[in-house]
Amino acid sequence: MFVPTTFHAALLMTVLSTICWGSFANTFKGTKNYRFELYYWDYGLGIFLISVVLALTMGSYAGGPTAFLANVRAADGINLFYAALGGFIFNIANTLLVAGIEIVGLAIAFPVSIGIALVEGVVLSYALQPRGNPVLLALGIGMAVVALVLIGKAYGALRSGSDSVSRRGVVVCVISGFLMGIFAPFVTRAMTRGATLTPYTTAVCLTAGAFVGLFCFNTILMRKPITGAPVAMAEYFRAPAAYHGLGLLGGAIWGCGTVFNFVAASLVGVAISYAIGQASPMVACLWGVFAWKEFRGANAKAKGYLAAMFAAYVLALVLIARAYAG
């Protein structure tokens, strides 16, 4: 299988995962008046299919005992289960994140949800696999939290005197964040204990668990939605082909980011790889600002907070990257 052999190659893969994780939601934003519950069927299929494709290509490169199919046969069954369970939990968290994006927008949904997941996921993952300098890692996480506070300040300044942020939307994002932070420790366990999984096998099991989870959680949401009226499955089949394509593309983008992140983790550790990857709110905010104009008409105060947020995220990335060398 393909794995990076240097820290710089692994760092590049984590940065690519950040871009993918922060960009996938644009495919949903590209639909018009389309329910996220319907979008998510194609998205869930997309993340699974791309994981299988990468496992059978990059993950099977040069064959041997670490090739995808050989690893599936040799790995502990409990590790396969843990990776799938992590995916099942992730599915719930990410469905809620997409719901939050629909309610409050990219620029606020991502920082709230992913920020909580960042702290929780890194701490729990590091406890299972203590790799890297804990002081630098903690400082990096701290700067990421500062960045999250700043984006909240920026949004507050932008909305001053206008409609307030939906409380329900914020609650949905908070719940999403707590659940999102839980899936990383299951991945860490599957990749570090007993007859372990390769990054590619982990990704396939995780996305398979997420896809299966659609038939449980997403079906419930269609009947009892967070926002709007119940939606029937017939609406999915009446949707334009382009919307199905966008859902599959969104899944493929997120799935590529996940595989790259797991592959990088094989060298630098899950805590560091996950922490860098979870800088995705910065990418999402850039999309929100420049592509979707969520900060149109922002005053100087909001723009100042926004600039400070980007600086804090860059510093967070530097500190977390240095944690590996430290």
Side-chain angles (χ1 to χ4, degrees), residues 83-266:
L85 179 60
F88 187 89
I89 295 171
F90 159 79
N91 168 70
I92 299 174
N94 211 48
T95 304
L96 293 175
L97 173 58
V98 176
I101 291 169
E102 185 176 52
I103 300 170
V104 297
L106 275 172
I108 195 167
F110 257 86
V112 172
S113 178
I114 304 303
I116 293 171
L118 168 66
V119 177
E120 182 184 11
V122 170
V123 170
L124 294 177
S125 296
Y126 191 86
L128 291 171
Q129 187 190 35
R131 183 178 297 177
N133 186 309
V135 175
L136 290 176
L137 189 58
L139 288 173
I141 295 170
M143 288 308 303
V145 172
V146 169
L148 298 174
V149 173
L150 288 170
I151 187 58
K153 290 281 191 180
Y155 230 85
L158 173 68
R159 292 181 177 235
S160 179
S162 63
D163 294 337
S164 61
V165 176
S166 165
R167 180 175 297 180
R168 173 179 289 187
V170 173
V171 170
V172 167
C173 293
V174 169
I175 296 172
S176 168
F178 278 113
L179 292 175
M180 189 80 72
I182 292 174
F183 95 86
F186 286 107
V187 169
T188 306
R189 171 63 173 77
M191 295 176 65
T192 60
R193 299 288 192 276
T196 60
L197 308 186
T198 69
Y200 299 95
T201 305
T202 302
V204 170
C205 291
L206 183 137
T207 55
F211 185 65
V212 170
L214 286 174
F215 295 90
C216 301
F217 189 66
N218 203 43
T219 301
I220 294 172
L221 278 184
M222 290 176 69
R223 296 175 180 173
K224 297 183 178 181
I226 296 172
T227 60
V231 59
M233 195 65 194
E235 295 294 325
Y236 171 85
F237 296 104
R238 286 197 289 266
Y243 285 11
H244 296 305
L246 284 170
L248 290 169
L249 177 61
I253 292 171
W254 189 91
C256 284
T258 301
V259 172
F260 291 168
N261 196 270
F262 290 173
V263 171
S266 65

Side-chain angles (χ1 to χ4, degrees), residues 19-60:
I19 294 171
C20 290
W21 283 353
S23 300
F24 84 89
N26 289 302
T27 58
F28 175 63
K29 295 281 285 187
T31 63
K32 302 296 182 183
N33 300 317
Y34 191 51
R35 293 289 291 271
F36 79 88
E37 298 95 337
L38 301 178
Y39 163 89
Y40 212 82
W41 287 106
D42 292 309
Y43 171 85
L45 179 60
I47 65 174
F48 175 66
L49 290 178
I50 195 65
S51 298
V52 172
V53 169
L54 292 176
L56 293 173
T57 52
M58 294 174 63
S60 300

